[in-house]
């Protein structure tokens, strides 16, 4: 699936200081019935965002007008649970381009990278600093620099490097996915089968 | 020669190419697909003008969305029906074998693969569902993938994967009475946490593991993902070989002997290195139950909920949020808590052995009056076997009835939803908020512990009846 090339981001962030945010919370199963990849952002965190009568729950971060931006900051073990790629689609569709946590579940991380969403894993200490910066000023800006693989808290100038597989970095920067590449290997794959 | 783990042996034999500074191009032997995570992949394939590369290595069945009653009738929910029909159509257009609703081959994708002998030792197996780890019970590398990866496999029979780290979990000793594979799994996750396995592939070893039946091994490997691991596996042995032998897609004749000789080489070499090792004593494991909103929040059924006193910061907030959702208090005893629903089924515990255990327990007893019991076989084959063995009669006599195969209340995409605020003792695999329906409260347990709740109406230690 094509997605936009990843370019550097300077943006405020939306805080979600909860651990083990699982993919059932990110996008509940009842919204997985579509056969196309669009519109999932409306149901992102559906059951945390809306009450039974579909009214926005005021104290949930996404409904709080003080918070905005392209960066979502979650607690540790973000994206655990189901392999549903809809979770990455929903976050991307909502408008986020970066998710920050001190720890990501494997499948979620892979799904994000395949869909132009950058998972930035920082140290637990640095994660606390990010939450503190948002607490101090909800409009505080952060910079995500993919070429240098750094995440910076603009207010304090503190930054931390993050890891990304060089191949995946190349894909993200160029908006490429793996399928064209794999299809180009067909002869080699056929030879491998014998 | 360098000592290799079981995982290394299979992985290395499937690497088509190593990308510079990137992941491996990994060849996939078997691909299972279902209606929820495949439509967008087929759409992508079509828009690129591609056909499925190896349709004969792909098997399809609709399971997540299907009703578990009146399967002969058209599916009422339009969106669900559309997904189920789309799967059939995509399979027809691409020459993929499709086991539709009501047919003999229908069932939860992780149940039918092993039943048909499609799942075999030494294979690489993927499916757009995290519990693909189930198939690792046969000594295969099996793991869940996202829809983009489903499209990759459809297009090329390969995916791009970095090689995970290796973990070995050894459980030695004898299991106590009433303690099952499900309890081993919930025990391990409660010890290593839901992120303890992240980045790893697990090999389970030790006498308590090799003593398990194939059904038990599947339950254990199924839950590997709940510890955060990509998958779990168990080296094939006589139990494995006897299970596969004679199944529809198992090798036959001379090919069988040759294949078995290969399977016998599939074990970790003496001295092979694991990145992480754990070992547990089977005697320490009780029948388990979960009290919170992730599978790591589990304890012995006779124990009390932790007080959480030592927790601080987000840890404390997360713990309290979870208990609030469950409407439990720190320090509460689990035993005696009221139960509204009991669900037997899913790819974790929807196999014949699970129904036998449940039937054995409820035989001659009555369902508690205000408990609703859903008995959902994992496949048509399991349903037929239940009837052939007369287990359905035992259920009926106890005041319970059998439904038709599907994922059902495991993720509640169909009508089998636990109502808001109600407590369900469930043999499935996830107790996340809302997993079994908005506001539903899930307590994960084994079929035995579920059976004990079904007849008493409260959380009960099944050992009291054994
Ligand atoms: S039974 Fe549950 S876990 Fe298993 S495949 Fe179905 S939805 Fe997934």
């Amino acid at each position: 699936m094509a997605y936009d090339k990843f370019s550097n981001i300077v943006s405020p962030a939306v805080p979600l200081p909860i651990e083990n945010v699982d993919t059932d919370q990110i996008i509940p199963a009842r919204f997985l019935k579509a056969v196309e990849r669009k519109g999932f952002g409306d149901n992102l965190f559906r059951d945390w965002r809306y009450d039974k009568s579909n009214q926005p729950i005021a104290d949930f971060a996404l409904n709080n007008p003080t918070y905005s931006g392209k960066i979502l900051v979650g607690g540790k073990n973000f994206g655990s649970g189901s392999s549903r790629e809809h979770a990455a689609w929903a976050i991307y569709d909502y408008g986020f381009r970066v998710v920050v946590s001190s720890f990501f579940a494997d499948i979620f991380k892979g799904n994000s990278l395949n869909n132009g969403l950058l998972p930035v894993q920082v140290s637990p200490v640095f994660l606390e600093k990010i939450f503190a910066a948002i607490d101090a000023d909800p409009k505080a800006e952060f910079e995500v620099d993919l070429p240098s693989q750094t995440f910076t808290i603009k207010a304090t100038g503190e930054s931390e490097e993050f890891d990304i597989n060089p191949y995946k970095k190349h894909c993200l920067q160029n908006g490429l996915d793996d399928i064209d590449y794999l299809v180009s290997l067909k002869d080699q794959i056929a030879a491998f089968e014998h | 020669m360098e000592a290799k783990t079981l995982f290394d042996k299979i992985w290395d034999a499937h690497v088509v190419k190593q990308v510079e500074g990137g992941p491996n191009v990994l060849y996939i032997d078997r691909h299972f697909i279902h209606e929820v995570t495949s439509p967008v992949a087929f759409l992508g394939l079509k828009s690129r003008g591609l056909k499925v590369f190896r349709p004969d290595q792909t098997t399809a069945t609709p399971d997540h969305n299907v009703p578990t009653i009146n399967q002969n009738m058209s599916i009422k929910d339009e969106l669900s029906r559309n997904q189920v029909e789309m799967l059939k159509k995509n399979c027809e257009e691409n020459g993929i074998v499709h086991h539709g609703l009501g047919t003999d081959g229908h069932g939860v994708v992780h149940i039918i693969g092993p039943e048909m002998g499609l799942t075999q030792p030494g294979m690489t197996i993927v499916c757009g569902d995290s519990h693909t780890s189930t198939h690792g019970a046969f000594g295969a590398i099996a793991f869940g993938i996202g829809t983009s990866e489903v499209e990759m496999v459809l297009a090329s029979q390969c995916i791009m994967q970095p090689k995970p780290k290796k973990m070995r979990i050894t459980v030695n000793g004898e299991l106590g009475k009433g303690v099952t594979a499900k309890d081993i799994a919930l025990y391990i996750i409660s010890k290593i946490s839901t992120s303890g396995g992240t980045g790893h592939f697990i090999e389970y070893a030790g006498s308590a593991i090799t003593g398990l039946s194939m059904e038990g091994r599947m339950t254990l490997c199924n839950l590997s993902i709940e510890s955060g691991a990509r998958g779990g596996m168990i080296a094939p042995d006589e139990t494995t070989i006897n299970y596969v032998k004679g199944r529809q897609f198992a090798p036959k004749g001379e090919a069988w002997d040759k294949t078995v000789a290969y399977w016998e080489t599939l074990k970790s070499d003496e001295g092979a290195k694991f990145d992480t090792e754990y070992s547990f004593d089977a005697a320490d494991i009780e029948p388990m139950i979960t009290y919170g909103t992730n599978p790591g929040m589990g304890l012995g059924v006779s124990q009390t909920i932790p007080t959480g006193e030592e927790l601080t910061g987000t840890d404390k907030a997360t713990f309290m949020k979870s208990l609030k959702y469950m409407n439990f208090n720190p320090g509460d005893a689990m035993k005696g808590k009221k139960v509204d629903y009991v669900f037997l089924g899913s790819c974790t515990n929807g196999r014949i052995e699970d129904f036998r255990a449940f039937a054995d327990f409820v035989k001659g007893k009555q369902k508690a009056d205000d408990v609703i019991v859903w008995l959902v076989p994992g496949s048509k084959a399991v349903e037929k076997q239940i009837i052939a063995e007369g287990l359905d009669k035992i259920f009926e006599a106890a005041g319970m009835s059998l439904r038709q195969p599907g994922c059902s209340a495991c993720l509640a995409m169909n009508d089998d939803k636990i109502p808001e605020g109600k407590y369900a003792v469930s043999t499935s695999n996830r107790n996340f908020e809302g997993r079994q329906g908005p506001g539903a409260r899930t307590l994960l347990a084994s079929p035995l512990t579920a059976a004990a709740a079904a007849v008493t109406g409260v959380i009960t230690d099944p050992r009291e009846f054994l």
Side-chain angles (χ1 to χ4, degrees), chain B residues 46-283:
Chain B
K46 209 178 227 172
S47 72
R48 289 170 206 259
L50 296 171
K51 276 282 187 196
V52 175
F53 186 56
R54 294 287 179 257
D56 51 335
Q57 282 164 252
T58 316
T59 308
T61 194
D63 53 3
H64 282 58
N65 241 327
V66 301
T68 56
I69 44 165
N70 301 327
Q71 286 188 347
N72 54 333
M73 281 153 57
S74 167
I75 301 175
K76 272 195 273 159
D77 182 294
E78 190 191 334
L79 294 173
S80 296
R81 188 173 65 241
N82 188 29
Q83 273 193 337
V84 169
E85 281 169 2
M86 191 75 105
L87 179 69
K88 184 160 184 267
K89 183 160 163 276
N90 283 328
C91 288
E92 278 167 4
E93 282 175 12
N94 286 282
I96 294 168
V97 174
H98 169 263
H99 299 286
L101 208 55
T103 64
D104 280 352
H106 178 252
V108 177
V109 65
H110 309 310
I111 304 239
I112 65 164
E115 272 172 2
M116 294 182 183
L118 286 166
T119 301
Q120 295 171 19
M123 284 183 163
T124 47
I125 301 173
V126 295
C127 172
D129 182 281
S130 56
H131 293 94
T132 309
S133 59
T134 312
H135 307 263
F138 290 79
I141 293 181
F143 54 92
I145 56 177
T147 298
S148 296
E149 291 166 318
V150 171
E151 189 179 338
M152 290 176 210
V153 183
L154 291 175
S156 69
Q157 206 57 34
C158 288
I159 59 171
M160 313 277 288
Q161 283 285 310
K163 191 172 179 179
K165 289 193 260 187
K166 288 150 291 181
M167 176 186 288
R168 180 162 58 191
I169 299 181
T170 308
V171 188
N172 276 316
E174 237 178 271
L175 292 173
K177 95 180 157 174
V179 181
T180 67
K182 180 67 164 282
D183 303 302
I184 303 178
L186 290 176
Y187 179 83
I188 292 173
I189 305 163
S190 78
K191 294 294 173 198
I192 73 172
S193 92
T194 50
S195 57
T198 306
H200 290 79
F201 219 93
I202 301 172
E203 179 178 343
Y204 298 99
S207 59
I209 306 298
T210 51
L212 294 173
S213 65
M214 281 321 290
E215 282 85 354
R217 294 179 191 190
M218 285 188 255
T219 301
L220 177 62
C221 289
N222 173 281
L223 287 159
S224 304
I225 181 76
E226 304 312 332
S227 69
R230 285 314 307 268
M233 64 201 309
I234 297 170
D237 60 9
E238 238 184 271
T239 307
T240 323
I241 293 165
N242 289 338
Y243 182 97
V244 178
K245 194 172 185 176
R247 290 185 186 262
Q248 193 184 351
F249 291 97
K252 306 266 150 50
E254 219 173 287
W256 170 256
D257 296 333
K258 251 178 73 185
T259 314
V260 168
Y262 167 61
W263 291 350
E264 281 165 352
T265 68
L266 295 175
K267 46 173 145 290
S268 290
D269 297 330
E270 196 83 38
K273 286 259 172 311
F274 290 85
D275 299 281
T276 314
E277 293 234 32
Y278 286 101
S279 96
F280 299 105
D281 185 349

Side-chain angles (χ1 to χ4, degrees), chain A residues 1-2 17-20 22-25 28-37 40 47-48 52 75-77 80-86 89 103-107 110-111 114-115 128 131 165-168 177-183 185-186 188-190 192-193, chain B residues 13-17 19 21-23 25 27 36 39-40 43-44 48 50 53-54 57 65 77 79-80 82-83 86 128-130 144-149 151-152 155-156 158 160 194-195 198-200 225 228 230 294 314-315 318 321 411 413 420 430 432-433 435 438:
Chain A
M1 278 289 163
I18 302 166
E19 292 169 15
N20 306 315
D22 60 73
T23 53
D24 277 78
Q25 307 319 317
R30 61 188 189 282
F31 300 114
L32 308 184
K33 296 188 182 188
V35 291
E36 284 176 294
R37 199 186 84 151
F40 289 103
D47 293 338
W48 286 350
K52 272 166 282 168
K76 78 168 179 239
N77 199 24
S80 58
S82 130
S83 63
R84 63 188 68 161
E85 197 161 310
H86 312 68
W89 299 341
F103 202 85
F104 288 97
D106 290 327
I107 304 183
N111 285 342
N114 283 334
N115 287 280
E128 287 310 319
F131 282 132
N165 180 299
Y167 167 83
K168 276 295 167 194
D177 68 22
D178 295 329
I179 294 174
D180 298 324
Y181 176 73
L182 284 171
V183 170
L185 296 181
K186 265 190 184 161
Q188 206 173 331
I189 295 167
F192 175 87
E193 289 175 325
Chain B
H14 286 82
V15 174
V16 176
K17 186 185 165 107
V19 181
V25 176
Y27 188 80
V36 177
V40 170
L43 210 63
R48 289 170 206 259
L50 296 171
F53 186 56
R54 294 287 179 257
Q57 282 164 252
N65 241 327
D77 182 294
L79 294 173
S80 296
N82 188 29
Q83 273 193 337
M86 191 75 105
D129 182 281
S130 56
I145 56 177
T147 298
S148 296
E149 291 166 318
E151 189 179 338
M152 290 176 210
S156 69
C158 288
M160 313 277 288
T194 50
S195 57
T198 306
H200 290 79
I225 181 76
R230 285 314 307 268
N294 73 58
T314 30
D315 287 339
T318 305
K321 179 177 186 295
L411 92 165
M413 264 187 92
E420 188 182 348
R430 288 190 171 135
F432 299 151
E433 283 183 32
R435 170 78 179 186

